Amino acid sequence: MTTIRNIAKLAGVSVPTVSRVLNDQRVDPVMTLKVRQAAQSLDYVPNRSAKRLRGVGNPLLGAIFSDLSNQFFTEILKHFEWGVSVQKHSLLMSNSDSKPEKEEELIQVMLEEGVSGLVMAPTLEYSTKIQELIENDFPIVIVDRRMREMEVDTVTINNFEASAKAVCHLGNLGHSEVGYIGGPIHLSSANDRYLGFKEGVMKAGMYCDENWILFGDYKMESGYCLTEKLLSCKDLPSAILVANNEMVVGSLNKIHEEGLRIPHDISIISFDDFPWSISLNPPLTAIAQPTQEIGAKAASLLMDRLVDNTKPPQTLILESNLVVRESCGQGLVKINQKTKRRKI
Amino acid sequence: MTTIRNIAKLAGVSVPTVSRVLNDQRVDPVMTLKVRQAAQSLDYVPNRSAKRLRGVGNPLLGAIFSDLSNQFFTEILKHFEWGVSVQKHSLLMSNSDSKPEKEEELIQVMLEEGVSGLVMAPTLEYSTKIQELIENDFPIVIVDRRMREMEVDTVTINNFEASAKAVCHLGNLGHSEVGYIGGPIHLSSANDRYLGFKEGVMKAGMYCDENWILFGDYKMESGYCLTEKLLSCKDLPSAILVANNEMVVGSLNKIHEEGLRIPHDISIISFDDFPWSISLNPPLTAIAQPTQEIGAKAASLLMDRLVDNTKPPQTLILESNLVVRESCGQGLVKINQKTKRRKI
DNA sequence: TCCCCTACAGAAAACGTTATCTCAAAATGC
DNA sequence: GCATTTTGAGATAACGTTTTCTGTAGGGGA
């Protein structure tokens, strides 16, 4: 490995002079040239660890997401990376696999690596580790979820409202019985979506049997299993709201496996929208979250905080967008047979 | 920030003693205790930059993928991370956005960060930067694609064979005219898939008009546009093979937009398989790549090379799996109207 | 001509660690 | 009981940088 010391030797100058040349500080032109040539010929690669130790050089940022195979998060991450890369930050990413203990470990690793800021989709709505970071004024931005009892920069959508809006949409289409397949209630997003669902049901005067309300873990498998459970009810709702992209895939798969037709036999509406949602059977009506904007805002929030850490934390609530396709009956009232047999 | 120097002061011992305690080396129990307590009370966070500068501590690995919003890559990445995390490596990830110049820049950044190994899905089949790394015996593993003129650890599937197999499947179903929507031919995967397609067509005695062969960039948009172009042909093939997951989404969207029915009007088979492929309209017949195995093997290949860099580079060719669903006619011969009108 | 200021290169210190070296004290062998 | 080995803690150097300090040469003003 070549160091500025080697360069200095080859160029016949002192070490600090090399440093000055490489940092574009004022140095005699002839020396500058010699140093540049030496650096070139030795394939010099600057050592960021050394720079970071000195407290200079490109900052390192960290991203910890609960599920890096969930396209929703990777979209956010991609735009976050775009947002911060204009400033030449390096980005350390990791996957907490929705495990709080792994998350804590990863935070520790990132701190040891010397990140100057973090963006996270945390696994729990409270974490002493994160609380500590905040108390020590460590720059951190939370996406998708809100933390409980913590003042911290946050970028999310209004999950309550979005969920209520979805139910309202079902109501407008004539649905009067609706089920809910939700995420882990200890996450604010899951909780808000559930509360919004209840609110929507109430406002629209719809009915929801308690057996139609099921909570999973935001993963596809639980979407599948919970749908199985739901479909085993004697009476079925005419429509269900599924709380995220992964679960709705499981849910759809189960519904198709059972040979039920959407929306004829059951309607479905979900959170999160992707290009392939259009080509599902049927095209899926969904609440699209602005992943691009979430990522970009998170990046700018974090970069702002890196330069000025005195501002009070902000919570940005972005607009979600109901994308109406064909999985809820295309505006027609569809009541399936089973539901008609329902007593109340 | 607290350093071992602070701890030493508080515990009333020397700096090296603190280091020894924290590295579990033999130290007087009473001192050990004092050091541990001091470290605890000062919220000590080890500094990996300093360790790395000294040449010790957990190694850092780098991952550079051409598209981090492509689920195929994130699946690989996830399993790669699992594979290496058993050894407590840190992982620096980045997205080259399929841009060679960005890729080169990212490699540079990672080298500066001091990664001890790289896993990459490169943007081109040749790169002087990568060539240099290999010549300098830098540990690197390539996934999904093969590099030209380079001896380097590689994990991929047999794209040629898989593609031929797909065409053969179409032939078995009675298709005799087939189109191809491929990726950028400068990538080995895209090239192999194309060659395999041609081979398959020839072997099965099928027909492929030259207007039915279109090349894009593996992105959804080009899948959409190329399908538009294909569908504008006077005569249509009865089936098309689409070369990756992103493009097939665009392709499906376009086909649905045109109101064509799959497989009645046109059959479609693609590379890459995801949970949501089951719920597409219709369920998509696809060549599933073993993303989990690719990631895991890449991890073990890289870790092996980290400990022993003398072994000759290996190329692992993993098995792909044809998943037959309903987008190719479920075993029935389907010839659409338009095709029937074709002259030869 | 002398003095002071400026410009700029080199020397030395520092960032937070760990490894090597030194040395004293304790433990062991005779 | 003395010599020798072992033990283990502290001092020092080193990793690759940058920053501060030091010193020297050259230029300008009196």
Side-chain angles (χ1 to χ4, degrees):
Chain A
M1 196 214 310
T2 96
T3 71
I4 58 171
R5 184 167 266 107
N6 304 132
I7 299 175
K9 201 168 203 174
L10 180 59
V13 301
S14 73
V15 167
T17 298
V18 176
S19 172
R20 282 188 272 256
V21 169
L22 297 177
N23 289 289
D24 294 318
Q25 295 178 34
R26 180 141 191 82
V27 173
D28 185 276
V30 47
M31 280 180 156
T32 303
L33 187 66
K34 278 197 291 189
V35 169
R36 287 250 141 81
Q37 285 176 339
Q40 182 86 33
S41 75
L42 291 174
D43 285 330
Y44 172 66
V45 176
N47 183 321
R48 293 199 184 201
S49 288
K51 291 191 196 218
R52 199 161 288 133
L53 189 57
R54 287 283 301 156
V56 296
N58 308 55
L60 184 65
L61 297 180
I64 302 177
F65 281 73
S66 54
D67 183 6
L68 270 189
S69 61
N70 182 337
Q71 211 169 349
F72 171 67
F73 289 124
T74 57
E75 284 289 329
I76 292 177
L77 197 49
K78 177 169 140 182
H79 292 103
F80 176 85
E81 195 191 359
W82 283 355
V84 299
S85 67
V86 298
Q87 303 273 36
K88 299 277 183 192
H89 297 268
S90 297
L91 187 54
L92 204 54
M93 308 183 203
S94 266
N95 195 348
S96 65
D97 272 326
S98 300
K99 302 200 184 88
E101 66 279 5
K102 188 169 178 204
E103 173 178 289
E104 200 158 313
E105 204 179 299
L106 287 173
I107 294 177
Q108 180 66 25
V109 168
M110 299 228 166
L111 292 178
E112 295 184 9
E113 288 288 356
V115 297
S116 35
L118 273 178
V119 59
M120 293 187 63
T123 59
L124 297 174
E125 63 172 354
Y126 187 83
S127 150
T128 46
K129 195 97 186 175
I130 296 177
Q131 177 67 41
E132 271 174 42
L133 291 180
I134 296 170
E135 279 169 7
N136 293 318
D137 289 322
F138 186 85
I140 181 169
V141 174
I142 302 291
V143 295
D144 183 50
R145 296 147 188 193
R146 289 176 297 110
M147 301 301 283
R148 185 164 50 80
E149 301 170 18
M150 290 188 206
E151 297 248 320
V152 56
D153 283 321
T154 304
V155 185
T156 178
I157 62 163
N158 189 330
N159 284 296
F160 179 89
E161 194 181 286
S163 203
K165 194 160 63 178
V167 175
C168 174
H169 173 68
L170 293 175
N172 291 341
L173 293 179
H175 291 279
S176 56
E177 296 94 14
V178 58
Y180 183 72
I181 294 185
I185 212 71
H186 57 79
L187 294 180
S188 76
S189 65
N191 194 42
D192 290 351
R193 287 170 196 183
Y194 172 57
L195 296 177
F197 169 80
K198 283 208 300 189
E199 169 83 3
V201 168
M202 206 187 68
K203 276 224 174 135
M206 298 167 85
Y207 174 78
C208 177
D209 193 282
E210 61 181 9
N211 293 318
W212 299 342
I213 297 181
L214 299 160
F215 297 103
D217 63 1
Y218 270 161
K219 297 287 177 62
M220 187 186 66
E221 288 74 20
S222 81
Y224 181 93
C225 295
L226 295 179
T227 302
E228 184 165 34
K229 204 163 166 186
L230 181 79
L231 293 179
S232 73
C233 290
K234 229 174 27 228
D235 299 316
L236 290 188
S238 64
I240 57 174
L241 167 57
V242 184
N244 88 330
N245 58 339
E246 298 266 333
M247 292 182 86
V248 79
V249 169
S251 191
L252 287 171
N253 286 355
K254 184 62 198 176
I255 291 172
H256 288 133
E257 193 178 305
E258 292 293 322
L260 297 177
R261 288 157 304 169
I262 304 171
H264 183 275
D265 296 320
I266 192 161
S267 285
I268 189 163
I269 185 170
S270 89
F271 268 78
D272 302 326
D273 190 49
F274 296 103
W276 40 268
S277 301
I278 303 170
S279 287
L280 288 171
N281 178 23
L284 187 65
T285 295
I287 293 155
Q289 296 194 61
T291 50
Q292 172 164 357
E293 200 184 351
I294 293 174
K297 293 280 189 202
S300 74
L301 230 46
L302 188 56
M303 296 200 309
D304 284 354
R305 191 154 292 282
L306 287 176
V307 299
D308 174 15
N309 207 349
T310 63
K311 291 185 250 178
Q314 295 180 55
T315 294
L316 301 182
I317 311 284
L318 306 182
E319 282 299 309
S320 63
N321 184 24
L322 178 65
V323 182
V324 177
R325 297 203 188 90
E326 299 163 31
S327 66
C328 300
Q330 292 181 277
L332 299 173
V333 180
K334 311 244 174 178
I335 306 287
N336 67 43
Q337 293 291 329
K338 265 182 151 178
T339 306
K340 276 192 173 161
R341 278 191 269 111
R342 206 177 52 73
K343 283 155 235 142
I344 293 255
Chain B
M1 200 214 305
T2 94
T3 70
I4 59 171
R5 185 168 264 107
N6 304 132
I7 299 175
K9 201 168 203 173
L10 181 60
V13 302
S14 74
V15 168
T17 299
V18 175
S19 173
R20 282 188 272 255
V21 168
L22 298 177
N23 289 289
D24 295 318
Q25 294 178 33
R26 181 142 191 82
V27 173
D28 184 276
V30 45
M31 282 181 154
T32 302
L33 187 65
K34 278 197 290 189
V35 169
R36 288 249 140 82
Q37 285 176 340
Q40 181 89 31
S41 74
L42 290 174
D43 284 330
Y44 172 66
V45 176
N47 183 322
R48 293 200 184 200
S49 287
K51 292 192 196 213
R52 199 162 288 134
L53 189 58
R54 288 284 298 150
V56 296
N58 308 56
L60 184 64
L61 298 179
I64 302 178
F65 281 73
S66 54
D67 183 6
L68 271 190
S69 62
N70 182 337
Q71 210 169 350
F72 171 67
F73 289 124
T74 56
E75 285 288 330
I76 291 177
L77 197 49
K78 177 170 141 181
H79 292 103
F80 176 85
E81 196 192 358
W82 283 355
V84 299
S85 66
V86 297
Q87 302 274 35
K88 297 277 184 195
H89 297 268
S90 297
L91 188 54
L92 204 53
M93 306 184 204
S94 266
N95 193 350
S96 65
D97 273 325
S98 300
K99 303 199 183 89
E101 66 280 6
K102 191 172 177 204
E103 173 178 290
E104 200 158 312
E105 202 179 301
L106 287 173
I107 294 176
Q108 180 66 24
V109 167
M110 299 229 167
L111 292 179
E112 295 185 9
E113 288 288 355
V115 297
S116 35
L118 272 178
V119 60
M120 292 187 63
T123 59
L124 296 175
E125 63 173 355
Y126 188 82
S127 152
T128 45
K129 195 96 188 176
I130 295 176
Q131 177 66 41
E132 273 175 41
L133 291 180
I134 295 170
E135 279 168 7
N136 292 318
D137 289 324
F138 185 87
I140 181 169
V141 174
I142 303 291
V143 295
D144 183 50
R145 296 147 188 192
R146 288 175 297 109
M147 300 302 282
R148 185 165 50 81
E149 301 171 17
M150 289 188 205
E151 297 248 320
V152 56
D153 283 321
T154 304
V155 185
T156 177
I157 63 162
N158 189 330
N159 284 296
F160 179 89
E161 194 181 286
S163 202
K165 194 162 61 177
V167 175
C168 174
H169 174 68
L170 292 175
N172 291 341
L173 293 178
H175 292 278
S176 56
E177 296 95 13
V178 60
Y180 182 71
I181 293 184
I185 211 72
H186 57 79
L187 294 179
S188 76
S189 65
N191 194 43
D192 290 350
R193 287 170 197 184
Y194 172 57
L195 295 177
F197 168 80
K198 284 208 300 190
E199 169 85 2
V201 167
M202 205 188 67
K203 277 224 174 134
M206 298 167 85
Y207 173 78
C208 178
D209 192 281
E210 61 180 9
N211 293 318
W212 300 341
I213 296 181
L214 298 160
F215 296 103
D217 63 1
Y218 270 160
K219 296 287 176 63
M220 187 185 68
E221 288 73 19
S222 83
Y224 182 92
C225 295
L226 295 179
T227 303
E228 183 165 34
K229 203 163 166 185
L230 182 79
L231 293 180
S232 73
C233 290
K234 230 176 25 229
D235 298 317
L236 289 188
S238 65
I240 56 175
L241 167 57
V242 184
N244 88 329
N245 59 338
E246 297 266 334
M247 293 182 86
V248 79
V249 169
S251 191
L252 288 171
N253 286 355
K254 183 63 196 173
I255 291 172
H256 288 133
E257 194 179 304
E258 292 292 320
L260 297 177
R261 288 156 304 170
I262 305 170
H264 184 273
D265 296 319
I266 193 161
S267 284
I268 189 163
I269 184 170
S270 89
F271 269 78
D272 302 325
D273 190 48
F274 296 102
W276 41 267
S277 302
I278 304 170
S279 288
L280 287 170
N281 178 23
L284 187 65
T285 294
I287 293 154
Q289 297 194 59
T291 50
Q292 173 164 356
E293 201 183 350
I294 294 174
K297 293 281 190 200
S300 74
L301 231 44
L302 188 55
M303 295 199 310
D304 283 355
R305 191 154 293 282
L306 287 176
V307 299
D308 174 14
N309 207 350
T310 63
K311 291 184 249 178
Q314 295 181 54
T315 294
L316 301 183
I317 311 284
L318 307 183
E319 283 299 309
S320 63
N321 184 22
L322 177 65
V323 182
V324 177
R325 296 205 188 88
E326 298 164 30
S327 66
C328 299
Q330 291 181 279
L332 299 173
V333 181
K334 311 243 174 179
I335 307 287
N336 66 44
Q337 294 290 330
K338 264 182 151 177
T339 306
K340 275 190 172 161
R341 277 190 271 112
R342 204 177 53 72
K343 283 154 232 143
I344 281 278

